[in-house]
Amino acid sequence: MTEFLANNLPKIWIASYSEASQLLTSETGDAISHIISIGEPGSTPPAGYTQVPHRLRLEFEGLP
């Protein structure tokens, strides 16, 4: 069962804005199929965000 889970769970990266921009605009970015981007209202998502086919943008007031 453990091997099944290890082979079938999604790979998840948690990245800062600049790390996400670098990852999404690199060759690795082509393999990313889903993204959740979190920021303040009106802020721009990371570079390459619109190239990801399945994306969700969450915006919150007062993020540090």
Side-chain angles (χ1 to χ4, degrees):
M1 182 67 164
T2 303
E3 184 178 330
F4 172 80
L5 290 176
N7 293 330
N8 292 296
L9 291 176
K11 291 184 175 114
I12 298 174
W13 287 293
I14 299 171
S16 68
Y17 183 90
S18 60
E19 291 170 330
S21 294
Q22 289 178 342
L23 183 64
L24 292 170
T25 57
S26 71
E27 289 182 20
T28 305
D30 294 340
I32 298 173
S33 60
H34 294 76
I35 187 171
I36 298 172
S37 174
I38 302 171
E40 292 186 353
S43 65
T44 58
Y49 172 79
T50 58
Q51 304 305 312
V52 179
H54 305 283
R55 54 191 180 270
L56 174 65
R57 176 77 174 162
L58 301 175
E59 297 183 341
F60 297 96
E61 292 283 347
L63 291 175

